[in-house]
Amino acid sequence: MSTRKSVIGLVAITWLVFGLVGTANAQSLQIGGKDSNYGSVTLTPGFTPDPHSVPVTSGGRLSVRDMNLGSGCVGYATNQPDFIVRVSDEMSFLRFYGEADGDMGLVINDPSGNWHCDDDSHTGTNPMVSLNNAGDGQYDVWISSYSSDENIRGTLYVTELRSNPSGEAGSSSGGQLQIGGGNANFGTVDLSAGFTPDPHVVSMTSGGDMDVRDMNLGVGCVGYATGQPDLILNVAGDVDFLRFYNEGDGDTGLIINTPSGDWECDDDSHTGANPMVTFENARAGHYDVWVSSYSSDDNIRGSLYITELRSNPRDGDGGSSNARLAPGGSSSNYGSITLSPGFSPDPHNVSMTSGGSLNVNTMGLGSGCVGYATETPDFQVHLTGSATRLRFYVTGNGDTGLVVNGPAGEWHCNDDSYGGTNPTVTVGGALQGLYDVWVTSYGSDDRLTSTLHITELESNHPKR
């Protein structure tokens, strides 16, 4: 009899243990699975439309507060996630927020297994979770209800834009664009004269909920933008020439606030519906840049380009596929100099970046005229008198070429000299006048930091 009671007791204890284990498992949130209550989405950096929105209903029977997941992890939720977001590549910023007529919370498990929660950080009782440097992978998302007996219909939003949602404190600044701050939707860039690669390219998405036209910023300031800049550019020193242009599959605009506090805008000056803003003698300092959308409901994926080269962009500025090198003009990418025979110091040195979008090989300029260049010369030399010899040569960290147009319109070119890939052009019996000089790159995508040397001395040339 006692043996039978012992067996019955053991069975009861076993069932009790298994029952407790089952209860404990039922009280945890499932992470890393494939199923969710309202589906899933895979997002890549620059996704559109932004924000991505999902209709959801909050709540469940499990008490999130009892799971000790961390600060702000409250409310009631289901065991299974409400939504799954899969991020294909790291994003500098990722925000989740919910909006509904009721008290909801957000509970998120990130790809590293960390928990992020919030109750009321958005507006009223709406939640918001913001992540900097969000890693790629799976984000499991729950929308909890503060009370166990509530199921609240609402919308979950996912955004890359720091100015979304518009209800966030300080995002709209009373309907004005924010200038002089430290945050931008697509980051901050620091550039100085001669930067490489040129152009500098930033992938971004246009648009926002603020009508720029209503702000009376000036001619060409149109479209819809976020309160916060899309990009902040810090220029380390004054530059002779600075150009911004955007390329995307839609109608975008450019709005730029300069270090002087002036507004410069454009709608369609580049190609088609693409904008371009150009600065002569651009000042050092802080540039706030917005890429607007012509329509309020457009979010257009594209690329913002920043260049010091007058021949960029390749389209819309005389740089079409049929373009040729343009000698004899009044401007050049890296300036000019007037030299007299016997000049000192010798050599005269100019730092620059080689290359461009035009294929010199196809222009029939003569032997050794190869590589890729900009339409505008990289440098100009005004020689005040005839010289026995005028030599141009390049030193740098890659395969460059030299193309020189002399005062009589003649072309002089070279690719490799003195046993290396550095080029040299020597003009014997150099005439007085203008010499236009291009430093080419062998590859179309190469932008090589180089030094152009100008000399009268036979002993000056590239070293092996």
Side-chain angles (χ1 to χ4, degrees):
M1 190 70 172
S2 61
T3 301
R4 186 170 182 273
K5 286 182 179 179
S6 298
V7 171
I8 292 172
L10 181 61
V11 171
I13 291 171
T14 301
W15 277 107
L16 177 61
V17 170
F18 276 106
L20 289 173
V21 171
T23 301
N25 286 339
Q27 291 297 319
S28 63
L29 303 181
Q30 296 176 0
I31 60 174
K34 297 181 178 179
D35 298 322
S36 62
N37 298 326
Y38 299 100
S40 63
V41 69
T42 298
L43 298 178
T44 59
F47 62 86
T48 58
D50 185 334
H52 179 84
S53 59
V54 186
V56 293
T57 301
S58 68
R61 64 182 182 84
L62 305 182
S63 175
V64 176
R65 190 188 301 273
D66 294 340
M67 300 177 191
N68 298 317
L69 303 181
S71 175
C73 300
V74 298
Y76 291 82
T78 61
N79 180 250
Q80 185 169 267
D82 288 312
F83 196 66
I84 293 173
V85 175
R86 297 184 179 94
V87 173
S88 66
D89 199 2
E90 182 176 324
M91 297 181 181
S92 60
F93 183 80
L94 188 63
R95 172 172 285 162
F96 301 81
Y97 60 101
E99 293 183 352
D101 188 17
D103 196 351
M104 300 192 307
L106 266 174
V107 181
I108 300 173
N109 187 268
D110 70 17
S112 299
N114 299 314
W115 292 97
H116 309 269
C117 303
D118 184 68
D119 187 17
D120 300 327
S121 290
H122 177 21
T123 50
T125 56
N126 289 313
M128 182 168 65
V129 169
S130 301
L131 306 175
N132 290 309
N133 301 316
D136 60 335
Q138 180 165 317
Y139 292 77
D140 295 307
V141 184
W142 288 261
I143 298 91
S144 64
S145 292
Y146 191 77
S147 301
S148 61
D149 56 352
E150 284 188 319
N151 297 104
I152 304 163
R153 298 189 66 174
T155 304
L156 170 68
Y157 296 90
V158 187
T159 181
E160 277 188 295
L161 304 181
R162 293 177 186 271
S163 54
N164 275 335
S166 57
E168 180 190 2
S171 67
S172 295
S173 295
Q176 296 297 314
L177 303 183
Q178 300 170 15
I179 60 175
N183 293 320
N185 297 326
F186 298 99
T188 299
V189 175
D190 298 315
L191 297 178
S192 56
F195 61 84
T196 58
D198 185 332
H200 181 88
V201 186
V202 183
S203 298
M204 61 176 60
T205 304
S206 70
D209 60 357
M210 303 178 66
D211 190 347
V212 177
R213 192 188 302 269
D214 292 342
M215 300 177 190
N216 299 314
L217 303 181
V219 176
C221 300
V222 298
Y224 291 81
T226 61
Q228 186 166 265
D230 289 315
L231 183 77
I232 294 171
L233 171 64
N234 294 311
V235 177
D238 294 350
V239 294
D240 293 337
F241 181 85
L242 190 64
R243 172 171 286 162
F244 301 78
Y245 59 101
N246 191 70
E247 294 182 352
D249 190 17
D251 194 351
T252 58
L254 266 173
I255 299 108
I256 301 175
N257 189 267
T258 72
S260 301
D262 299 322
W263 292 98
E264 300 290 341
C265 303
D266 183 68
D267 187 16
D268 300 326
S269 289
H270 177 21
T271 51
N274 290 312
M276 183 167 65
V277 170
T278 300
F279 297 93
E280 298 280 354
N281 302 314
R283 288 185 54 186
H286 181 110
Y287 292 77
D288 291 306
V289 184
W290 289 260
V291 180
S292 65
S293 294
Y294 190 77
S295 300
S296 61
D297 55 354
D298 281 347
N299 297 107
I300 301 164
R301 179 68 171 160
S303 296
L304 175 68
Y305 296 83
I306 306 168
T307 181
E308 284 185 292
L309 305 181
R310 294 176 185 272
S311 54
N312 277 333
R314 67 183 65 183
D315 297 313
D317 190 37
S320 70
S321 60
N322 296 321
R324 300 178 65 81
L325 304 186
S330 60
S331 62
S332 60
N333 296 325
Y334 297 99
S336 63
I337 191 170
T338 299
L339 296 177
S340 299
F343 60 85
S344 175
D346 185 334
H348 177 82
N349 302 322
V350 185
S351 297
M352 61 178 60
T353 303
S354 70
S357 62
L358 305 184
N359 189 350
V360 177
N361 307 46
T362 64
M363 297 180 187
L365 303 181
S367 175
C369 299
V370 298
Y372 289 82
T374 63
E375 183 180 27
T376 303
D378 288 315
F379 197 70
Q380 293 179 315
V381 176
H382 299 269
L383 189 63
T384 63
S386 297
T388 303
R389 178 188 305 103
L390 189 63
R391 173 174 288 165
F392 304 85
Y393 64 98
V394 177
T395 57
N397 61 349
D399 194 352
T400 56
L402 260 175
V403 179
V404 180
N405 186 267
E410 77 281 9
W411 292 97
H412 309 268
C413 302
N414 183 254
D415 183 21
D416 302 324
S417 66
Y418 293 92
T421 57
N422 289 312
T424 302
V425 165
T426 302
V427 181
L431 299 176
Q432 173 182 339
L434 175 66
Y435 292 81
D436 292 299
V437 184
W438 289 261
V439 179
T440 69
S441 292
Y442 189 78
S444 60
D445 295 328
D446 289 343
R447 300 291 186 273
L448 305 173
T449 300
S450 308
T451 301
L452 172 68
H453 308 269
I454 306 160
T455 182
E456 289 183 289
L457 305 179
E458 175 62 30
S459 58
N460 285 338
H461 55 74
K463 309 303 180 187
R464 284 181 180 271

